[in-house]
Amino acid sequence: MKVRSLKLREAHKSINGNNDNNPSLCSVLWDQQAHHLVTASSSDPSISIHDPLIPSNPPKILRHHRDGVTALALSPNSTCLASGSIDHSVKLYKFPSGEFETNVTRFTLPIRALAFNKSGSMVAAAGDDEGIKLINTIDGSIARVLKGHKGPVTGLAFDPINEYLATVDSVGTVLFWELQSGGILHTLKSVAPNNISDTSFMNVVSWSPDGETLAVPGLRNDVVMYDRDTAEKLFSLRGDHVQPVCYLSWSPNGKYMATSGLDRQILIWDVDKKQDIDRQKFEDRISGMAWKPIGNVLAVIDVMGKYGLWELVVPSSMKSPTEDIPSLKNSNGVLLFDEEDPEPSTSGGLSEFAEDILCESEPSCRKRLRKQSESEDPDEDIDDELNLLPKTETRKKVHRASKDNLDKGNGLRNTVTPAWLKMQEAFQPGATPPQRGKRRFLCYNMLGTITTVENDGYSHIEIDFHDTGRGPRLPSMTDYFGFTMASLNENGSVFANPCKGEKNMSTLMYRPFSSWANNSEWSMRFEGEEVKVVALGNAWVAAITSLNFLRIYTDGGLQRHIISLDGPVATASGFKNQLAVVTHVSDCLPSIDQMLEFRVFDISSGTQPLTGRLPLTPGSHLIWFGFSEEGQLSSYDSKGVLRVFTSQYGGSWLPVFSASKEKKSDESYWVVGLNASKLFCISYKSPDKFPQVIPKPVLSLLNLSFPVASSDLGADALENEFILNSMHLSQIQKRMEDMAGACLDTTALDDEAFNMEATQDRCILRLIASCCNGDKLVRATELMKLLSLEKSMKGAIKLVTALKLPNLAERFNTILEERLVNESKGTHKSPLLSFNGHASLTADDAAISKMMVTSNGKNEKPESSIGFSSPTLSAPLFIKKENKQEHEKSDQNQTTNAKTSMEPSYAEKVKSAENVLRVGDVKMTGQVLKVQSQRLSYPSLKSSNNQETTKKDPDQLAAPLRPSNPFKKAPN
């Protein structure tokens, strides 16, 4: 076999800058697209990112470690680079920019090995202190520490199916760990060389790309292959290495393997044939190798820090090392399931972190069948082979389901569909995930923020108000409980933490901002019960726990109610007397859609006014939930759709914002709150998944906008404005009804409704103009019927007349006349309220007699209204009211003069109208009476001040229905 030589380029020097010829542990790896090559050395604290296409270009240097870099790892999607060092730290960087992100953990001794799992959500780190840490890459939290080795851990590898972790130490012991339980499945003692005395030579382990075989350097200058399930020795690769193998690397398709030995040569193996097909000798020992993901190239680096590229590693006459690469997962990094276990493995998302909680599965590859006996018939029916599978399985399985899901027609197992998909974990609105060494938000809402940062076993919590004049200035709080969630309102703040400690206890604490009594702060502790979400309202505190208990306390700490919910909580939010809770109805659908339900509790009255399903965009999950500044229930999902709950159509969720129509391709929004017209949010760019506390995030205000379709008029903005105004009118009407039912004054809402209807009429007039220009006359006629003000309807007639559309003008005039006739008969319904799904009261309803208490104590019935028809008269929908002044008892004439439920001079207008009207006659004389508001009456609305009296009993202050015609006879 011909032996070739390869020229290497210097990448790293010793930490002292001298060529002392001391060997170092050097690393090399490719990114996913083979655009970059990363190298590091244990004698150099820097990391180099090279351009393999133009090696002469100087590399990008990352200098963040204080001592030599001993381990590198790159996430499968090549967006995150991890490095471990002799300085005991593990650091994360953005890749390929090299921007430093965070220190995720520290050890007590040098780091020796790093590895990402297949989804990139977890990184395993190990070193000389013998422990293995599994670290969440999203927030830096340590999910688990694995202990079992008796020497420095020098190599580790996640299997491609994310079920196992294989590790090896410097004394040659290999351990198989089950990620789901964290336990040791198999222990192989002294199967690898003992290299405890030479830190430039590290034992390594590596899984084959199909996940079926683990390769370990052997004791006979060979490489030994072990079965993934039984840890039994399968075969070995033994050839021309005359000293132990110090590094090995599988080709992308698993057909070939490169091995480097202490004898300073690399052998290339055909694994199936168990023979070496090529080799190359070097001046120094090769300590790291990496196959190029695209192409027939092997990157190598020696113990002196020199690297090079071995082109055409596999002879061109043989199959390429990148051909027929095994496919074990989809592009999203979704875990696969064993055919015999339709339940998804949870190992890839240990403690349910970092994996996108909404996943979909695809069929898994068939588990390799094991030989059962020497006499087994090779042509045996596949049914018999499948029946033998359970006899050879040694793995511990939990929650088995549908084991016998076989196709009875051909004996083959059907494509596996998981029995369940992962439900969304509970979250606190306005909170960001923990970040090691960084301050994060426990709460961020429209009032202010609560932030925390961990420091030496305890945390510092700070509360800040957006408007410093609105809330008190609060000192920072030292947190010894490790609070992970909080809620904030004008009166105080509430905190909670997950279960911790030997007693597995969770703590709930409330801190009022002001109180007349000392020691008004209080706390509750739950043993074996974990607080999942907290919420605040007017004089109440709520906590929802892992036992599906809704616990409600007063702000003084009195335990008022304990309610059992019928599903695990997803989130909750409070507003004044209302508490909204979202729970899971069932497991995820096969389409990965979450099944959520919302409930609104009125804490003051002890009622549950609203309940129903919570809609989400297909394939999304809920990421924010709360109330608008006006008290409208709102939700925001991971697809960027904001919905608001309204009373229209018996209670419906309306999509009032879609991020896909607003944001840039790499931009996302983190919701803070909203009001009637704006969404308050923080924008951040990929790959960030939430905003940082420092620097202080900038709040963005985005206009609410329905996801309207592209109109044939080209008036999308106007149509959106029209729908938004209709929704706001509906909300105002609902609030007026609620206030009238509670005997409250609705004057302020009358003015708001008047202004909104005037705004809506202006919008409708512009839409009518667009319809006329686009020759959509039927649509223009529909819009004409939705105008509220008589003045607006006359304006529409003038508009179409000016546009020389006489037929349309005649139709508009007919609509106006019909409106006025119906108005006079009391049968007209509000066009907008009817359009929005609200029922209007009839004239008979409006004419229901209400008994009034007069000054002399006699009950009198109001006199009947006079019906009339006029082309110019209209009655106002909302009449501005004045506060009545109390008058002492006087005679009947003084009582009559004291009535003021109408505007100033309104009574005079009524009397003048009576002078020119005759009962039952529709004819007008001479002068036209003009009503100031120029509004069409809507008998569906109530007026609380339109009855004449000088003294009202408080129990009779409920507003009677206003007559369909406000022009009634004045008493003599």
Side-chain angles (χ1 to χ4, degrees):
M1 184 179 299
K2 183 179 178 181
V3 178
R4 297 169 293 176
S5 61
L6 176 66
K7 185 178 180 180
L8 303 182
R9 304 171 63 91
E10 184 177 71
H12 300 274
K13 295 182 180 180
S14 67
I15 195 169
N16 298 320
N18 55 4
N19 297 323
D20 49 10
N21 294 324
N22 289 330
S24 303
L25 179 66
C26 298
S27 309
V28 63
L29 51 83
W30 291 94
D31 68 346
Q32 188 180 34
Q33 301 298 325
H35 294 160
H36 303 88
L37 194 66
V38 187
T39 61
S41 170
S42 62
S43 63
D44 185 357
S46 65
I47 301 169
S48 298
I49 303 177
H50 306 267
D51 184 349
L53 298 179
I54 311 176
S56 59
N57 284 351
K60 182 183 297 182
I61 306 298
L62 310 181
R63 294 186 177 92
H64 296 279
H65 285 288
R66 294 185 306 232
D67 211 331
V69 179
T70 53
L72 291 176
L74 194 58
S75 62
N77 61 0
S78 298
T79 60
C80 182
L81 175 67
S83 65
S85 170
I86 299 174
D87 64 11
H88 310 171
S89 68
V90 176
K91 302 179 185 293
L92 294 183
Y93 313 81
K94 293 180 180 179
F95 193 85
S97 66
E99 178 184 351
F100 175 74
E101 282 194 317
T102 183
N103 291 305
V104 289
T105 190
R106 288 189 64 85
F107 283 67
T108 57
L109 293 172
I111 312 297
R112 299 298 177 188
L114 293 173
F116 278 95
N117 68 344
K118 282 298 179 181
S119 64
S121 64
M122 186 195 311
V123 63
D128 291 352
D129 62 0
E130 303 176 2
I132 303 163
K133 292 183 180 180
L134 303 182
I135 306 163
N136 177 6
T137 58
I138 300 299
D139 55 24
S141 61
I142 298 176
R144 183 168 289 166
V145 178
L146 308 177
K147 293 186 177 181
H149 282 284
K150 303 301 182 182
V153 180
T154 60
L156 42 78
F158 287 95
D159 84 288
I161 310 177
N162 266 342
E163 288 184 349
Y164 302 148
L165 174 70
T167 59
V168 63
D169 57 32
S170 60
V171 297
T173 299
V174 175
L175 298 181
F176 286 62
W177 305 83
E178 185 180 48
L179 290 173
Q180 180 175 338
S181 64
I184 299 175
L185 285 179
H186 306 290
T187 301
L188 305 178
K189 293 185 177 181
S190 302
V191 296
N194 187 323
N195 60 3
I196 196 168
S197 61
D198 186 357
T199 57
S200 67
F201 166 31
M202 297 291 178
N203 284 328
V204 294
V205 289
S206 182
W207 291 97
S208 61
D210 62 4
E212 293 294 328
T213 307
L214 180 70
V216 181
L219 299 176
R220 299 181 178 180
N221 307 332
D222 58 353
V223 176
V224 182
M225 306 294 181
Y226 295 92
D227 180 81
R228 70 170 275 112
D229 300 313
T230 64
E232 296 176 352
K233 180 178 177 180
L234 299 177
F235 60 90
S236 64
L237 302 178
R238 187 175 182 182
D240 292 333
H241 280 302
V242 295
Q243 293 187 50
V245 173
C246 61
Y247 200 85
L248 54 87
S249 178
W250 290 90
S251 67
N253 62 2
K255 182 171 177 59
Y256 308 104
M257 174 178 284
T259 60
S260 169
L262 298 180
D263 54 7
R264 302 182 181 181
Q265 67 173 334
I266 293 178
L267 298 184
I268 307 299
W269 298 83
D270 186 320
V271 177
D272 293 336
K273 296 180 179 180
K274 304 178 184 59
Q275 66 181 22
D276 56 311
I277 58 176
D278 205 349
R279 73 183 67 180
Q280 187 155 179
K281 288 188 176 181
F282 296 86
E283 293 181 2
D284 295 292
R285 186 170 74 243
I286 299 298
S287 63
M289 298 179 292
W291 290 82
K292 188 175 182 180
I294 305 172
N296 187 7
V297 179
L298 181 70
V300 301
I301 189 168
D302 64 19
V303 293
M304 305 309 297
K306 294 181 290 185
Y307 81 100
L309 301 180
W310 182 355
E311 304 280 352
L312 298 177
V313 184
V314 177
S316 57
S317 59
M318 303 180 68
K319 180 182 290 188
S320 168
T322 58
E323 185 179 348
D324 298 332
I325 297 177
S327 178
L328 293 174
K329 61 181 182 65
N330 63 17
S331 59
N332 294 324
V334 176
L335 307 184
L336 299 180
F337 318 128
D338 194 307
E339 288 179 313
E340 295 178 2
D341 188 1
E343 181 172 297
S345 167
T346 61
S347 59
L350 192 64
S351 29
E352 281 113 51
F353 60 86
E355 299 275 359
D356 261 342
I357 53 182
L358 305 170
C359 323
E360 62 179 287
S361 65
E362 68 177 30
S364 63
C365 61
R366 183 170 303 279
K367 179 179 173 182
R368 180 162 44 86
L369 301 177
R370 313 297 182 199
K371 290 186 178 181
Q372 301 304 310
S373 65
E374 294 297 329
S375 61
E376 183 176 84
D377 184 0
D379 297 325
E380 190 173 5
D381 188 277
I382 191 169
D383 284 309
D384 297 330
E385 290 183 337
L386 290 172
N387 291 333
L388 290 173
L389 277 173
K391 298 178 183 179
T392 62
E393 184 178 20
T394 61
R395 285 183 290 166
K396 180 171 63 176
K397 290 289 185 179
V398 293
H399 304 298
R400 291 185 177 275
S402 304
K403 290 183 180 179
D404 299 324
N405 181 25
L406 296 176
D407 186 317
K408 296 181 180 179
N410 54 22
L412 293 177
R413 194 177 300 271
N414 287 331
T415 298
V416 177
T417 300
W420 58 270
L421 288 169
K422 199 171 180 183
M423 291 191 299
Q424 176 175 356
E425 286 294 307
F427 70 93
Q428 184 72 33
T432 57
Q435 303 172 75
R436 180 73 58 178
K438 290 186 178 181
R439 184 170 291 276
R440 75 179 186 99
F441 292 109
L442 293 179
C443 175
Y444 195 137
N445 60 22
M446 299 288 283
L447 181 64
T449 64
I450 302 178
T451 60
T452 183
V453 62
E454 185 178 351
N455 183 16
D456 295 333
Y458 58 92
S459 301
H460 291 288
I461 292 179
E462 294 184 358
I463 301 177
D464 298 294
F465 294 92
H466 302 314
D467 184 355
T468 55
R470 185 174 180 180
R473 184 174 181 83
L474 302 172
S476 61
M477 179 180 75
T478 301
D479 168 26
Y480 295 98
F481 295 96
F483 293 128
T484 59
M485 66 195 82
S487 186
L488 173 71
N489 69 3
E490 296 86 349
N491 303 318
S493 56
V494 62
F495 303 87
N497 66 349
C499 289
K500 59 192 310 184
E502 295 181 358
K503 295 185 178 180
N504 198 30
M505 299 188 73
S506 182
T507 302
L508 175 74
M509 186 178 77
Y510 176 71
R511 295 186 69 196
F513 294 146
S514 62
S515 175
W516 60 270
N518 294 327
N519 195 25
S520 55
E521 177 183 305
W522 55 266
S523 64
M524 301 285 169
R525 306 198 73 179
F526 311 98
E527 186 171 349
E529 180 180 2
E530 183 172 276
V531 177
K532 293 293 187 180
V533 184
V534 295
L536 281 178
N538 284 351
W540 57 264
V541 177
I544 300 95
T545 70
S546 57
L547 298 182
N548 298 344
F549 288 164
L550 168 58
R551 296 178 176 271
I552 301 175
Y553 305 85
T554 64
D555 55 0
L558 177 64
Q559 303 190 48
R560 287 294 307 276
H561 306 285
I562 303 177
I563 302 171
S564 284
L565 303 175
D566 55 4
V569 66
T571 190
S573 183
F575 178 80
K576 296 184 178 178
N577 293 325
Q578 292 186 321
L579 168 64
V581 180
V582 178
T583 57
H584 290 275
V585 178
S586 65
D587 297 321
C588 295
L589 297 177
S591 59
I592 72 173
D593 292 330
Q594 297 285 307
M595 301 297 292
L596 301 178
E597 180 181 61
F598 74 95
R599 293 184 178 186
V600 177
F601 299 87
D602 192 307
I603 306 299
S604 60
S605 63
T607 59
Q608 185 176 304
L610 292 175
T611 183
R613 289 291 181 87
L614 183 69
L616 295 173
T617 305
S620 71
H621 57 277
L622 186 65
I623 60 176
W624 182 86
F625 185 77
F627 291 86
S628 70
E629 286 191 329
E630 295 78 19
Q632 295 299 124
L633 197 58
S634 310
S635 70
Y636 187 78
D637 64 34
S638 59
K639 297 291 186 180
V641 177
L642 176 71
R643 295 175 175 85
V644 171
F645 184 82
T646 73
S647 58
Q648 296 182 27
Y649 300 102
S652 303
W653 289 87
L654 305 184
V656 297
F657 177 83
S658 178
S660 62
K661 294 193 174 183
E662 293 282 343
K663 68 179 183 179
K664 300 176 183 177
S665 58
D666 61 341
E667 193 175 51
S668 299
Y669 298 125
W670 195 75
V671 174
V672 174
L674 70 153
N675 60 18
S677 60
K678 300 285 185 181
L679 172 65
F680 294 77
C681 61
I682 298 171
S683 62
Y684 58 92
K685 294 186 177 181
S686 181
D688 293 339
K689 296 186 177 181
F690 46 83
Q692 302 294 326
V693 177
I694 299 174
K696 186 176 181 180
V698 178
L699 204 60
S700 300
L701 275 67
L702 303 176
N703 292 322
L704 298 185
S705 176
F706 279 87
V708 295
S710 297
S711 172
D712 53 3
L713 294 177
D716 298 355
L718 283 176
E719 292 180 338
N720 177 74
E721 181 185 351
F722 169 74
I723 301 175
L724 278 174
N725 291 341
S726 299
M727 181 188 71
H728 293 156
L729 278 170
S730 170
Q731 294 171 353
I732 295 172
Q733 169 66 9
K734 182 64 169 61
R735 286 156 56 195
M736 291 181 66
E737 292 174 354
D738 293 342
M739 292 179 66
C743 303
L744 300 176
D745 183 25
T746 61
T747 303
L749 288 180
D750 287 346
D751 295 339
E752 185 178 351
F754 178 86
N755 294 332
M756 179 53 66
E757 286 195 341
T759 300
Q760 179 71 319
D761 275 10
R762 288 193 292 271
C763 175
I764 293 175
L765 287 173
R766 293 197 297 271
L767 277 172
I768 290 176
S770 297
C771 290
C772 293
N773 292 330
D775 198 26
K776 304 295 181 183
L777 304 186
V778 174
R779 196 177 308 173
T781 305
E782 295 170 344
L783 290 166
M784 173 67 176
K785 296 177 181 179
L786 296 177
L787 289 169
S788 298
L789 305 180
E790 178 187 350
K791 182 178 180 180
S792 301
M793 300 184 76
K794 290 182 177 179
I797 296 174
K798 292 180 180 179
L799 173 64
V800 297
T801 302
L803 293 175
K804 298 180 179 180
L805 298 171
N807 292 335
L808 188 59
E810 183 178 351
R811 285 184 175 275
F812 280 15
N813 192 62
T814 301
I815 292 172
L816 174 60
E817 292 176 355
E818 290 176 353
R819 175 79 63 85
L820 294 174
V821 171
N822 292 336
E823 171 75 18
S824 65
K825 294 180 180 179
T827 59
H828 170 65
K829 294 184 179 181
S830 166
L832 288 174
L833 296 184
S834 298
F835 180 77
N836 289 329
H838 289 289
S840 299
L841 301 178
T842 63
D844 293 337
D845 296 326
I848 295 176
S849 299
K850 298 290 183 179
M851 302 301 293
M852 298 183 297
V853 181
T854 61
S855 61
N856 58 11
K858 294 182 180 181
N859 291 338
E860 296 181 352
K861 295 183 179 180
E863 300 201 15
S864 59
S865 309
I866 300 177
F868 67 95
S869 174
S870 169
T872 58
L873 283 180
S874 65
L877 170 59
F878 301 106
I879 300 177
K880 299 181 180 179
K881 310 178 187 68
E882 291 183 347
N883 293 329
K884 291 181 58 178
Q885 298 180 350
E886 292 293 335
H887 296 274
E888 297 181 353
K889 290 185 179 181
S890 59
D891 57 24
Q892 183 73 26
N893 293 333
Q894 290 173 329
T895 302
T896 302
N897 295 333
K899 60 179 182 177
T900 61
S901 66
M902 294 171 284
E903 296 180 8
S905 76
Y906 189 74
E908 288 80 2
K909 293 181 181 180
V910 172
K911 192 166 185 66
S912 62
E914 291 173 352
N915 292 334
V916 295
L917 294 173
R918 293 193 302 273
V919 176
D921 194 359
V922 297
K923 182 177 180 180
M924 295 290 299
T925 63
Q927 185 179 4
V928 175
L929 179 62
K930 296 183 179 179
V931 179
Q932 181 179 356
S933 65
Q934 292 274 332
R935 307 201 49 195
L936 301 173
S937 68
Y938 297 134
S940 62
L941 300 179
K942 301 177 181 179
S943 174
S944 59
N945 299 331
N946 65 343
Q947 302 242 0
E948 55 185 17
T949 181
T950 58
K951 183 178 180 180
K952 291 186 179 180
D953 188 274
D955 295 332
Q956 294 180 335
L957 288 177
L961 294 174
R962 182 145 57 93
S964 60
N965 191 336
F967 297 94
K968 57 184 178 182
K969 291 184 178 180
N972 295 328

